[in-house]
Amino acid sequence: MSELRVVGTSVPRTDAVAKVTGAAVYTVDVTMPDMLHARVLRSDRAHARIDDIDTSAALALPGVVAVVVGSDLSSLFPRFGHIVPDHAILAIDKVRYYGEPVALIVATDLMVAADALSLVDVRYTELPAVLDTDAALADDSALVHETGYSGVSATPVVVSEYSHRNVAHEVERGWGDPDGAFAEAHLVVETRTHHPMLYAYAMEPYNAVARFTDGALEVVSTAQHPFMVARDLARVFSLPLSQVRVTAPYVGGGYGSKSYTKVEPLTAVGAWATGRAVKLVLDVEESIYTTRADSADVVVRTGFAADGTILVRDFELVLDTGAYADNSPLVLDKAVNRCFGPYRIPNLRVRGKAVYTNTSPASSYRGFGAFQGNLAGETNIDQGAERLGIDAAELRRRNLLLRGERLMPGLRGMDADLVADLDLLVDELDAGPAPAGRLRGVGFGCAATDAGAVPSSTALVKMQSDGSIVVLTGSTELGQGSRTVLAQIAAEELGLDMAAVRVLQSDTATTPFERTTGASRTTTLTGLAVQRACADVLARLRTAAAEVWECPVDDVAVRDHSIVAGGRSMSYGETVRAWFGPGGGEVVGQGVVRRAGVLAELPPFWEIGMVGVALDIDPETGQIDVHQLVTVADVGRAINPVLVEGQDLGAATQGLGGALTEQLVYDGSQIVNANMVEYRIPRITDRPRTFTSIVAERGDGIGPHGAKGVGEGARNPLPGAVAAAVARALGVWPDSLPLNPEHVWRLARKGISQRSGT
Amino acid sequence: MPELDVSTTVNGRPVEMRLPTRLTLADFVRDRLGLTGTKVSCGMQVCGACTVLVDGDPVSACSYLACDVDGREVLTVEGLADGGELTPVQRAFVDCSALQCGFCTPGFVMAATALLRDEPHPTEEQIAHHLDGNLCRCTGYLPIVEAVLKASRAGGIDE
């Protein structure tokens, strides 16, 4: 391969100037002519029958145009959900969680809509509520959903009848003879962990603008996956997919929380009810009640041989999925695949349940399923190392999968050098000494996740008559930098300057299909589609040149970014102009990625998480300072190294938040900290004192130039690494998160009393 | 709805409007003036995404009444690069890749601009202290600290 010109270079983000000047347009900045504003009246109880809704007083308020309730939607398909279509757009007959939308108020002015909220009179009859998974799984528990829901799942997850009617999804997976292996193990270590509910806090809250025009529905929204949203909307309104257009401009953070359908049906229902454009913007409290991450209770037992070889692992996972399934069945599937780690495990049993409760709906959040299970799995490995008297890194080295070994039968073999990555990591970690009065704890962890999701991407590249190109893709720019990276890939293929490449994204009517923007897939899969579209452009330019020159196409070649045959040569732009003539034209290339060829085997790639921390802990206050953060990005090839580093630092920082301060707390039916004062995310003063980003480039990915994805990896093992660091400093293993000062202080007290022999 | 006559200057241009007393400064600049660069996130003065300068001081526009800018000068992110030339702070945020989704960026740029006006050569600790009221969920902050240091070396604010 010739030398790379643009790929591998940290070119500036193409969206940076728009974002520092305030010119970048997000959904929340979009208006439509004659637009109305909506607000949502939400349930103030966890589980209740709706007896009556009196909207007359609200409708009488000047400026209120419509008040829509669930019973108004009987002519529509009144629910959504890409796996289980269980999610009522507006509560029908009963509410299933505090915060559930009950009425949509549409008014000429946002303040009027807000004033009308208190004028809607809803009469409820309280029902017994199941507020946690234990209550939900009890024999005589109240049912969150009395009936099943028919519909075609838009994912590979198959849901069916389960052991309890409050179970949303149940999985059992494994191999070998776990019971026999436990009987022969030298040491069996059991670990129980609780991972709390989390909020992704994408800073742009969920919002959308919708209108019907010429019989078609147009929605602008914060959707990560506009094509999947379009599918839900088409079903709601019985429209052909071609009559539903979903666009996503710049998105103010996603991290998985804007995956799948959220406020789009509500907004569209407002437009349907009024015949006018409607805008709905949630506030942060409403956003928290819209989607959170599943909490997880995990029990893991591992049987080790005396030399530390893993003989068997057994996991039981219970996720609190909340009132509606959203993506939680897939979160569970992934948790089951991701909990046991990238180790050679001859005997395995994993059992998992995603459980409906009368709490807010749970779904994706960066690395979903992985971080919940990884905390248990990696804590358990560390405890095993401690009890076996084997160094924790050495224990992992003995068990990590080698290149080509399979983490699970039927899945792609390991496409990374895990032991080499681990060595890079532990060599960097700084074990001390700590500053006076502090205890230094070092922890690290590993993860490998089946990334890339379902391979289905199509890209179009339009070669203009001046030789510049427009790249069209349905992949969404969430801040990860795909607009820049995809431009780099195209610029490299066609020998163009970055300035000659324009990437336009995420419009279901004009950009080609993209399955999702998630699972760290964009650089690898969308990147391949762009690369293939560029190759298609070149093939078409060769054909065009052969017609212009009246020679066989086989005589026409591409050399040094020109079309050549014999002694003749044309630039790409000249070829377009010569073929179309003075009327002008463009040559359009298409690149398709689907589950075939190099992508027949799933996952498309393994995303590796290798992180370590050195923490300075004040045992008197429980305060933790992050002295050092080390990440290893095993990305095959960094298309843009600065963006790779940015993904790792960002993901790791979210992991630090989850490990140290973040949790949504239910007290009865309500979340008591549904705001950004009491839901404490990392601030600039919490930043790690030193950060080392190691980028391992071995060219071993299936993406462009050997690339593999990045974005979730560093999130997944971070909480386990923090837990291990705290345990090594204090002598007590935490079994839950977050490790906030109170929790750490209690662990420190416990450690002191244990060591004093009480 | 009670209203008041408000006379203010926004990004150097005089504005006279009759505004509802309950209208926030954020809604005023975004909805009435079309200056959508100012972003609203937490809605309770924690995240700093809506930071604008009023008479040079950073305020959270989501929690500041529009009527209270009567007789004062407001500077939003759109007022920085008026004419197209990026300020050193904006330039440094671009050069240091100190943004990802960009939703917090206008607030950080405004807060950093105010810092460098008061303290042209801040230490890393001063930067962190000053920007502790601005949240970023994407970057992990280190590139933002680097950008402010770089802007301070490049001459800080530039109007």
Side-chain angles (χ1 to χ4, degrees), chain A residues 89-105:
Chain A
I89 299 170
L90 288 159
I92 302 167
D93 300 333
K94 72 170 191 173
V95 292
R96 294 182 172 84
Y97 69 96
Y98 180 101
E100 176 162 11
V102 172
L104 183 79
I105 293 164

Side-chain angles (χ1 to χ4, degrees), chain A residues 117-291:
Chain A
L117 287 173
S118 60
L119 300 177
V120 178
D121 186 16
V122 187
R123 305 248 169 87
Y124 295 104
T125 300
E126 201 95 30
L127 298 168
V130 288
L131 294 168
D132 57 42
T133 56
D134 285 343
L137 294 175
D139 288 341
D140 55 351
S141 63
L143 296 181
V144 180
H145 297 269
E146 287 79 5
T147 55
Y149 300 92
S150 59
V152 180
S153 172
T155 75
V157 176
V158 179
V159 291
S160 58
E161 292 291 314
Y162 298 125
S163 57
H164 190 292
R165 288 175 68 197
N166 279 333
V167 170
H169 188 44
E170 195 163 0
V171 182
E172 181 163 351
R173 200 160 290 158
W175 52 79
D177 172 17
D179 294 328
F182 275 117
E184 289 175 15
H186 167 75
L187 173 72
V188 176
V189 179
E190 179 175 305
T191 305
R192 290 169 182 265
T193 61
H194 173 74
H195 195 293
M197 299 172 181
L198 296 178
Y199 172 50
Y201 188 44
M203 289 189 71
E204 182 186 15
Y206 296 113
N207 72 98
V209 196
R211 69 173 170 191
F212 284 86
T213 176
D214 303 328
L217 171 61
E218 290 187 0
V219 178
V220 182
S221 98
T222 49
Q224 287 185 225
H225 314 337
F227 288 87
M228 294 189 76
V229 172
R231 196 153 138 167
D232 263 328
L233 291 171
R235 181 169 56 187
V236 169
F237 295 101
S238 299
L239 287 169
L241 273 176
S242 60
Q243 299 298 327
V244 179
R245 179 182 193 182
V246 180
T247 56
Y250 283 121
V251 178
Y255 328 113
S257 71
K258 289 172 181 165
S259 306
Y260 312 108
T261 305
K262 305 296 179 198
V263 295
E264 297 87 355
L266 257 182
T267 315
V269 155
W272 169 80
T274 59
R276 290 171 64 178
V278 170
K279 179 165 188 161
L280 173 63
V281 183
L282 303 193
D283 62 28
V284 162
E285 182 176 4
E286 292 178 291
S287 295
I288 288 174
Y289 275 107
T290 299
T291 309

Side-chain angles (χ1 to χ4, degrees), chain B residues 99-148:
Chain B
L99 57 89
Q100 288 183 26
C101 85
F103 207 75
C104 71
T105 308
F108 268 101
V109 166
M110 297 312 291
T113 299
L115 165 65
L116 294 182
R117 183 172 295 159
D118 295 343
E119 179 51 75
H121 300 288
T123 64
E124 214 179 299
E125 282 317 299
Q126 284 174 312
I127 292 168
H129 177 74
H130 189 86
L131 297 180
D132 206 34
N134 290 75
L135 298 180
C136 170
R137 193 57 154 162
C138 295
T139 64
Y141 298 108
L142 297 178
I144 293 174
V145 174
E146 193 191 328
V148 179

